[in-house]
Short mmCIF file of all heavy atoms in Angstrom, two decimals:
data_model
loop_
_atom_site.label_atom_id
_atom_site.label_comp_id
_atom_site.label_asym_id
_atom_site.label_seq_id
_atom_site.Cartn_x
_atom_site.Cartn_y
_atom_site.Cartn_z
N PHE O 103 -28.04 19.47 -11.83
CA PHE O 103 -26.61 19.36 -12.07
C PHE O 103 -26.39 18.92 -13.51
O PHE O 103 -27.29 18.39 -14.16
CB PHE O 103 -25.93 18.39 -11.10
CG PHE O 103 -26.37 16.97 -11.22
CD1 PHE O 103 -25.76 16.10 -12.13
CD2 PHE O 103 -27.41 16.48 -10.44
CE1 PHE O 103 -26.18 14.77 -12.23
CE2 PHE O 103 -27.82 15.16 -10.55
CZ PHE O 103 -27.20 14.31 -11.45
N THR O 104 -25.20 19.17 -14.01
CA THR O 104 -24.80 18.71 -15.35
C THR O 104 -23.48 17.98 -15.23
O THR O 104 -22.67 18.27 -14.35
CB THR O 104 -24.66 19.87 -16.35
OG1 THR O 104 -23.66 20.77 -15.86
CG2 THR O 104 -25.98 20.61 -16.56
N VAL O 105 -23.27 17.03 -16.14
CA VAL O 105 -22.00 16.29 -16.22
C VAL O 105 -21.67 16.14 -17.68
O VAL O 105 -22.54 15.76 -18.48
CB VAL O 105 -22.12 14.89 -15.58
CG1 VAL O 105 -20.84 14.11 -15.76
CG2 VAL O 105 -22.48 15.00 -14.10
N LYS O 106 -20.44 16.46 -18.06
CA LYS O 106 -20.02 16.26 -19.45
C LYS O 106 -18.55 15.92 -19.52
O LYS O 106 -17.75 16.32 -18.68
CB LYS O 106 -20.36 17.46 -20.32
CG LYS O 106 -19.58 18.73 -20.01
CD LYS O 106 -20.01 19.87 -20.92
CE LYS O 106 -19.26 21.14 -20.58
NZ LYS O 106 -19.70 22.26 -21.39
N VAL O 107 -18.21 15.16 -20.57
CA VAL O 107 -16.80 14.83 -20.85
C VAL O 107 -16.16 16.08 -21.42
O VAL O 107 -16.70 16.69 -22.34
CB VAL O 107 -16.68 13.64 -21.81
CG1 VAL O 107 -15.22 13.41 -22.20
CG2 VAL O 107 -17.27 12.38 -21.19
N THR O 108 -15.01 16.47 -20.88
CA THR O 108 -14.34 17.67 -21.38
C THR O 108 -13.06 17.37 -22.12
O THR O 108 -12.64 18.15 -22.98
CB THR O 108 -14.01 18.65 -20.23
OG1 THR O 108 -13.22 17.96 -19.26
CG2 THR O 108 -15.28 19.19 -19.60
N SER O 109 -12.40 16.24 -21.82
CA SER O 109 -11.18 15.92 -22.56
C SER O 109 -10.83 14.45 -22.39
O SER O 109 -11.33 13.79 -21.50
CB SER O 109 -10.00 16.80 -22.08
OG SER O 109 -9.66 16.49 -20.76
N PHE O 110 -9.98 14.00 -23.28
CA PHE O 110 -9.46 12.62 -23.25
C PHE O 110 -8.28 12.55 -24.20
O PHE O 110 -8.09 13.46 -25.01
CB PHE O 110 -10.55 11.61 -23.68
CG PHE O 110 -11.27 11.97 -24.94
CD1 PHE O 110 -10.74 11.64 -26.19
CD2 PHE O 110 -12.48 12.65 -24.88
CE1 PHE O 110 -11.40 12.01 -27.35
CE2 PHE O 110 -13.14 13.02 -26.05
CZ PHE O 110 -12.61 12.69 -27.29
N ASP O 111 -7.49 11.52 -24.07
CA ASP O 111 -6.35 11.31 -24.94
C ASP O 111 -6.53 10.00 -25.68
O ASP O 111 -7.07 9.06 -25.15
CB ASP O 111 -5.05 11.20 -24.11
CG ASP O 111 -4.72 12.47 -23.35
OD1 ASP O 111 -5.03 13.58 -23.86
OD2 ASP O 111 -4.20 12.35 -22.23
N LYS O 112 -6.04 9.97 -26.93
CA LYS O 112 -6.00 8.70 -27.64
C LYS O 112 -5.02 7.82 -26.91
O LYS O 112 -3.93 8.26 -26.55
CB LYS O 112 -5.56 8.88 -29.08
CG LYS O 112 -6.64 9.48 -29.96
CD LYS O 112 -6.17 9.55 -31.42
CE LYS O 112 -7.22 10.18 -32.29
NZ LYS O 112 -6.78 10.36 -33.66
N ALA O 113 -5.40 6.58 -26.69
CA ALA O 113 -4.51 5.66 -25.97
C ALA O 113 -3.30 5.36 -26.84
O ALA O 113 -3.40 5.20 -28.05
CB ALA O 113 -5.24 4.39 -25.61
N VAL O 114 -2.15 5.32 -26.19
CA VAL O 114 -0.91 4.98 -26.90
C VAL O 114 -0.69 3.48 -26.80
O VAL O 114 -0.71 2.90 -25.71
CB VAL O 114 0.29 5.74 -26.27
CG1 VAL O 114 1.56 5.38 -26.97
CG2 VAL O 114 0.04 7.22 -26.31
#
Side-chain angles (χ1 to χ4, degrees):
F103 64 88
T104 60
V105 175
K106 67 181 178 183
V107 174
T108 56
S109 67
F110 49 84
D111 297 325
K112 285 184 182 176
V114 179

